[in-house]
């Protein structure tokens, strides 16, 4: 049975943060939050309704129209962003401890997420100070330049898989751009989000610039998306919810950035460094408990090395350490919530009729309670199998053989998703031509998911709409206003002047 570690000084309740104050819901409604090892309630959180979102948006709107934040010099905003990063780094161990308790992520991986959150704020602090906008000259006649203006109140809706880091991913560029925000974190994992209020206040962020409303997507999230004073929505989550948000944003013609689901392929050619490919594809699907949108959950292997790959991959999978998320030795912890556990286990059972089970296939021995799933490998999975086509979002992988490059490309592109892809080959020409043909927003060659923050992040097809990352994030949170300045006399055709008149 897994050890049940409980961090010290857990909050007795989780509230909203609106206009610089911690508040309960107007209705008094709350919801229970479970920890994924015991599946017992450890705290209650305020359940936001439309009236709570109204209060938060009003506070954010007032801070945008009357407060100093949008008009601050970039360097002044950057100083505050750097103080936020300092505060995150200073308490990264505490953040990781709380994140692990709330999500079930292994503690070593949660620590990395806390450090990445700090880096997101530093990156955008640097970016806005160094930012340069376009100027176009017509010598002697005109100067045209771009003036960036923050859009307004940004609605940020974040998922539960790596909540604190993904919140920082949206908060940092939104705040750097001069927007004010209303954050709606995932209802499964509100604990680490509750830390932002103190971090921002201590860093000197003006009241009302950051607001947080907890609650369910169907209530608080829906109200935020539909609110007339929220001109843009950034959402990370699954594709069906993204479609609903898309429809609801249409009435207000809102700006949208949506990073949605994935069923990313990892394509391994026979000439690849097989050991490196196995290391990377194991990490790519089993890190973060498999609860990651960019997981390489379909592995396509060229026939000459297929059986060797499957044998070695399954042997390594069976040795993965599953257990107490707070134990540094743990490689796969507990899934986030019993509802999600049941979903993943239903796919595990389905997979037994759709592929050859090589490893896992159920609950790990000795872990009789909690949301534990043994890392599971299915081989010989057909392209029309549900475990090949549908996002499982857990520690489950499907391996499929291919014989030709064209077949590999057809298999890689043969799903509705298009977020990431991973390609393993020593043939440089093949690497580039194949990568450019894959229907994915991001491709890694001979590497797992290591991303430069300057590059675009986003998917195609059912995996998303728009891109964030680097200047693309600044583009999303700002209007680019063109200003045209005339130099010297301008010839204008004069309407309403009779012939011969001056």
């Amino acid at each position: 049975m897994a050890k049940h570690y409980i961090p010290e000084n857990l909050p007795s309740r989780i509230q909203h943060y609106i206009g610089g104050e911690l508040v309960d819901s107007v209705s008094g409604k709350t919801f229970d939050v479970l920890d994924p090892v015991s599946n017992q309630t450890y705290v209650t959180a305020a359940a936001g309704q439309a009236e709570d979102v109204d209060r938060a948006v009003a506070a954010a709107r007032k801070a945008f129209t009357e407060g100093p934040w949008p008009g601050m010099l970039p360097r002044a905003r950057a100083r505050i962003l750097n103080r936020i990063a300092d505060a995150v780094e200073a308490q990264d161990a505490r953040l990781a401890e709380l994140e692990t308790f709330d999500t079930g992520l292994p503690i070593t991986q949660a620590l990395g997420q806390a450090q990445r959150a700090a880096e997101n704020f530093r990156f955008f602090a640097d970016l806005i100070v160094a930012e340069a906008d376009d100027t176009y000259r017509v010598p002697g006649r005109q100067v045209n330049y771009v003036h960036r203006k923050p859009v307004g109140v940004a609605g940020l809706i974040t998922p539960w898989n790596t909540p604190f880091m993904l919140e920082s991913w949206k908060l940092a560029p939104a705040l750097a751009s001069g927007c004010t925000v209303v954050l709606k974190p995932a209802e499964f994992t509100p604990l680490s989000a509750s830390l932002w209020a103190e971090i921002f206040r201590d860093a000197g962020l003006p009241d009302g610039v950051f607001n947080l409303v907890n609650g369910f997507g169907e209530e608080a999230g829906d109200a935020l998306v539909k609110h007339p004073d929220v001109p843009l929505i950034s959402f990370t989550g699954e594709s069906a919810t993204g479609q609903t948000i898309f429809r609801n944003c249409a009435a207000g013609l809102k700006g949208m950035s949506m990073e949605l689901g994935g069923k990313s392929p990892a394509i391994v050619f026979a000439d690849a460094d097989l050991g490196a490919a196995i290391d990377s594809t194991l990490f790519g699907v089993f890190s973060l408990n498999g609860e990651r949108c960019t997981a390489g959950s379909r592995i396509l292997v060229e026939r000459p090395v297929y059986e060797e790959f499957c044998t070695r991959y399954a042997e390594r999978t069976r040795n993965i350490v599953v257990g107490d998320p707070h134990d540094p030795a743990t490689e796969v912890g507990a899934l986030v919530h019993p509802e999600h556990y049941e979903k993943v286990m239903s796919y595990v059972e389905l997979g037994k009729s759709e592929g050859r089970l090589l490893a896992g296939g159920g609950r790990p021995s000795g872990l009789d309670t909690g949301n534990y799933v043994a890392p599971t490998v299915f081989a010989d999975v057909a392209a029309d199998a549900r475990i090949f086509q549908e996002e499982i979002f857990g520690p489950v992988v499907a391996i499929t053989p291919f014989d030709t490059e064209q077949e590999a490309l057809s298999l890689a592109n043969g799903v509705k998703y298009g977020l990431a892809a991973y390609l393993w080959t020593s043939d440089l020409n093949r690497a580039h031509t194949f990568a450019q043909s894959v229907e994915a927003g991001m491709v890694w060659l001979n590497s797992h998911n290591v991303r430069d923050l300057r590059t675009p992040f986003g998917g195609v097809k059912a995996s998303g709409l728009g891109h964030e990352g680097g200047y693309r994030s600044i583009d999303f949170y700002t209007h680019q206003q063109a200003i045209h300045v005339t130099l010297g006399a301008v010839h204008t055709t004069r309407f309403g002047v009779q012939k011969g008149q001056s």
Side-chain angles (χ1 to χ4, degrees):
M1 185 172 178
K3 172 186 174 184
H4 188 204
Y5 175 88
I6 301 176
E8 295 180 356
N9 300 318
L10 287 175
S12 58
R13 57 178 177 155
I14 293 176
Q15 297 174 282
H16 310 307
Y17 185 70
I18 298 175
E21 296 182 355
L22 292 169
V23 296
D24 294 321
S25 294
V26 172
S27 65
K29 290 184 178 180
T30 63
F31 62 95
D32 293 337
V33 185
L34 313 181
D35 83 79
V37 172
S38 73
N39 283 329
Q40 299 297 308
T41 299
Y42 76 88
V43 74
T44 58
Q49 311 295 306
E51 59 268 26
D52 303 300
V53 171
D54 285 344
R55 286 194 300 165
V57 173
R61 181 67 186 162
K62 182 178 180 181
F64 184 77
T65 58
E66 300 178 20
W69 187 252
M72 276 189 182
L73 292 174
R75 176 69 70 186
R77 286 205 299 269
R79 287 193 183 101
I80 292 176
L81 295 178
N82 275 311
R83 287 200 290 267
I84 292 167
D86 291 342
V88 171
E89 283 184 336
Q91 56 183 307
D92 59 355
R94 174 65 172 170
L95 283 166
E97 178 186 47
L98 296 181
E99 196 84 311
T100 290
F101 178 73
D102 205 23
T103 66
L105 294 177
I107 187 67
T108 52
Q109 296 168 41
L111 184 62
Q113 297 299 313
Q115 293 164 347
R116 184 62 176 264
E119 178 57 26
N120 284 332
F121 280 94
R122 294 206 191 284
F123 174 82
F124 284 103
D126 291 343
L127 197 65
I128 58 169
V129 171
E131 184 180 40
D133 283 314
D134 295 327
T135 301
Y136 307 93
R137 294 182 301 126
V138 182
R141 296 175 61 184
Q142 200 174 52
V143 172
N144 311 277
Y145 68 92
V146 175
H147 172 225
R148 286 186 183 269
K149 297 165 44 169
V151 173
V153 179
L156 312 179
I157 304 175
T158 51
W160 45 256
N161 52 328
T162 53
F164 193 81
M165 192 281 290
L166 287 175
E167 288 153 11
S168 77
W169 208 341
K170 299 180 187 300
L171 287 165
L175 296 175
S177 299
C179 289
T180 59
V181 304
V182 177
L183 170 67
K184 206 299 283 184
E187 59 266 26
F188 284 174
T189 55
L191 182 58
S192 60
S194 68
L195 301 175
W196 285 119
E198 183 177 356
I199 290 171
F200 287 148
R201 185 173 57 244
D202 291 348
L205 193 71
D207 289 346
V209 174
F210 166 76
N211 304 274
L212 182 152
V213 178
N214 291 292
F216 295 94
E218 301 87 343
E219 297 170 349
D222 185 65
L224 183 59
V225 167
K226 293 176 178 175
H227 202 288
D229 288 333
V230 179
L232 76 175
I233 296 291
S234 178
F235 169 72
T236 299
E238 53 93 27
S239 299
T241 304
Q243 290 175 314
T244 299
I245 290 174
F246 198 129
R247 286 191 293 269
N248 290 336
C249 282
L253 297 176
K254 297 175 185 282
M256 288 178 293
S257 177
M258 296 198 290
E259 191 264 286
L260 306 176
K263 192 71 178 177
S264 300
I267 304 102
V268 181
F269 284 93
D271 64 350
D273 179 335
L274 212 56
I278 289 170
D279 286 344
S280 179
T281 51
L282 280 163
F283 181 83
V285 74
F286 296 129
S287 60
L288 303 179
N289 298 346
E291 298 166 323
R292 59 187 304 162
C293 52
T294 54
S297 54
R298 295 181 297 136
I299 305 178
L300 314 176
V301 184
E302 195 170 11
R303 186 85 61 180
V305 295
Y306 179 72
E307 287 302 333
E308 180 188 354
F309 184 94
C310 288
T311 298
R312 293 172 62 182
Y313 194 92
E315 181 181 357
R316 289 277 297 278
T317 300
R318 288 190 288 268
N319 290 331
I320 289 174
V321 178
V322 183
D324 170 23
H326 291 274
D327 185 341
T330 293
E331 295 169 318
V332 171
L335 300 189
V336 68
H337 192 275
E339 287 180 19
H340 187 59
Y341 170 82
E342 292 299 332
K343 173 196 169 186
V344 173
M345 286 301 293
S346 72
Y347 277 106
V348 170
E349 291 307 310
L350 175 65
K352 293 174 182 177
S353 65
E354 292 191 329
R356 174 165 54 108
L357 180 64
L358 298 184
R363 179 182 285 278
S365 61
L367 297 173
D368 300 327
T369 60
N371 306 320
Y372 291 100
V373 175
T376 298
V377 180
F378 293 106
D380 310 340
V381 179
D384 60 353
R386 287 183 60 195
I387 63 168
F388 188 95
Q389 291 288 328
E390 299 175 17
E391 184 178 38
I392 299 172
F393 218 64
V396 182
V397 66
I399 308 180
T400 300
F402 67 86
D403 291 297
T404 66
E405 283 189 37
Q406 187 54 47
E407 183 186 7
L409 185 63
S410 177
L411 288 168
N413 291 342
V415 298
K416 69 178 182 179
Y417 298 104
L419 187 56
Y422 308 88
L423 179 59
W424 290 86
T425 179
S426 60
D427 184 327
L428 187 62
N429 287 337
R430 170 197 283 156
H432 289 285
T433 56
F434 193 99
Q436 292 169 20
S437 300
V438 173
E439 295 170 350
M442 301 165 288
V443 182
W444 279 268
L445 302 179
N446 298 322
S447 168
H448 61 277
N449 185 341
V450 179
R451 182 176 155 261
D452 188 311
L453 292 177
R454 295 170 294 182
T455 60
F457 187 99
V460 299
K461 302 195 290 188
S463 287
L465 178 71
H467 289 81
E468 295 189 35
Y471 283 114
R472 292 159 188 85
S473 292
I474 304 298
D475 288 344
F476 177 67
Y477 292 106
T478 59
H479 289 310
Q480 297 181 56
Q481 181 183 49
I483 296 181
H484 307 275
V485 182
T486 297
L487 305 176
V490 178
H491 172 74
T492 304
T493 301
R494 302 181 71 205
F495 281 23
V497 177
Q498 298 299 316
K499 190 172 183 180
Q501 292 180 334
S502 58

